[in-house]
Amino acid sequence: MKPMLNVALPKGRLGEKVYAMFEKAGFECPSIKENNRKLIFENETVGVRYFWVKPSDVAIYVERGAADIGVAGKDILLEYEPDIYELLDLDIGKCRMAVAAKEDFRDDPQNTLRVATKFSNIAQNYYASKGREIDIIHLNGSIEIAPILGLSDVIVDIVETGTTLKENNLKVFETIVPISARLIANKASYKFKSASIDAIVDSIRCQMESKDD
Ligand code: PRP
């Protein structure tokens, strides 16, 4: 019997795309498609056990070894800097981390810049690299409201289609980093289950390359 590989998938639309990639790569688990509220699904024949977790929690499961591998956005990896291996860029869930503000915003270097964000670490690192003094206002969502109500000068947030910014009369001033979904592995698991992890990574990579042809 193969050793079971525990795989943390991000719940939601991205997770469904990710599962489809694993399925095509030969690691199917048909019970996952049953319409129910179950969170754990396994297929002993191919040796995988999938579980759905909040996208921002995937890295925690993997870092602590509750999952051997998982899929997390590069935004989460940059924000929390988990001690894991990043094995593959899956080229899905693509967006960018950006600085946005009201269209008439002009930066005054004399003043401390007030930055509202859910990604405090990314924002700190970005402005530290520019030597710009900032005041972080940590929010948990609907970040776009902050500059409109005068809570902040700018926001650091994810921009995908740009619709949210546009509909709130905000615009991108700087792009910090492109984001996409990454396949990550627990460090100890990668040592002890390298054969099964490599089999999945190689198979997904192969499938991605054949799509490019
Ligand atoms: C993210 C982000 C923006 C939006 C960007 O929010 O914070 O609000 O998506 O997407 P767009 O450029 O395609 O409009 P999310 O839906 O993750 O919810 P949040 O309010 O919890 O951040």
Side-chain angles (χ1 to χ4, degrees):
M1 177 93 70
K2 285 185 182 176
M4 290 296 273
L5 207 60
N6 290 313
V7 185
L9 296 178
K11 222 171 158 176
R13 208 160 42 93
L14 176 66
E16 279 162 28
K17 278 194 194 168
V18 171
Y19 171 72
M21 292 178 89
F22 278 79
E23 186 181 51
K24 268 199 202 132
F27 299 88
E28 75 282 359
C29 183
S31 60
I32 210 167
K33 292 189 168 161
E34 286 165 12
N35 195 12
N36 60 32
R37 307 275 295 171
K38 267 174 71 172
L39 296 171
I40 303 180
F41 302 87
E42 61 181 56
N43 181 350
E44 278 188 38
T45 320
V46 292
V48 283
R49 180 182 298 118
Y50 292 106
F51 40 92
W52 296 116
V53 304
K54 228 180 145 189
S56 52
D57 289 342
V58 168
I60 300 174
Y61 283 85
V62 174
E63 183 177 35
R64 291 179 173 262
D68 298 304
I69 59 172
V71 173
K74 184 69 180 175
D75 52 333
I76 300 298
L77 303 180
L78 290 170
E79 180 60 20
Y80 299 105
E81 303 181 12
D83 190 19
I84 47 87
Y85 291 131
E86 193 183 308
L87 300 179
L88 187 62
D89 182 345
L90 295 179
D91 208 35
I92 56 172
K94 285 166 101 170
C95 52
R96 57 184 165 143
M97 188 63 65
V99 177
K102 289 207 286 193
E103 283 164 5
D104 60 1
F105 166 74
R106 296 288 169 269
D107 191 9
D108 178 1
Q110 310 287 8
N111 293 332
T112 300
L113 187 70
R114 296 170 306 152
V115 183
T117 187
K118 217 162 48 169
F119 300 95
S120 297
N121 190 37
I122 294 177
Q124 295 276 17
N125 289 340
Y126 177 65
Y127 285 106
S129 75
K130 289 168 56 122
R132 180 75 169 93
E133 199 182 315
I134 60 163
D135 177 15
I136 292 273
I137 301 159
H138 189 90
L139 299 176
N140 296 301
S142 302
I143 318 294
E144 292 83 2
I145 292 177
I148 299 170
L149 297 183
L151 178 63
S152 75
D153 301 306
V154 301
I155 63 173
V156 165
D157 201 11
I158 283 171
V159 179
E160 192 183 347
T161 59
T163 311
T164 312
L165 292 181
K166 206 168 161 205
E167 293 192 352
N168 290 287
N169 303 314
L170 302 174
K171 72 167 203 188
V172 169
F173 280 77
E174 292 154 72
T175 291
I176 298 178
V177 66
I179 304 290
S180 56
R182 308 296 163 102
L183 181 60
I184 60 174
N186 172 269
K187 288 191 164 175
S189 301
Y190 193 61
K191 206 160 150 191
F192 296 112
K193 297 186 181 175
S194 59
S196 10
I197 295 177
D198 283 340
I200 289 195
V201 172
D202 290 347
S203 185
I204 292 179
R205 187 182 284 126
C206 222
Q207 174 207 317
M208 287 171 66
E209 282 165 4
S210 67
K211 226 171 70 186
D212 291 342
D213 294 340

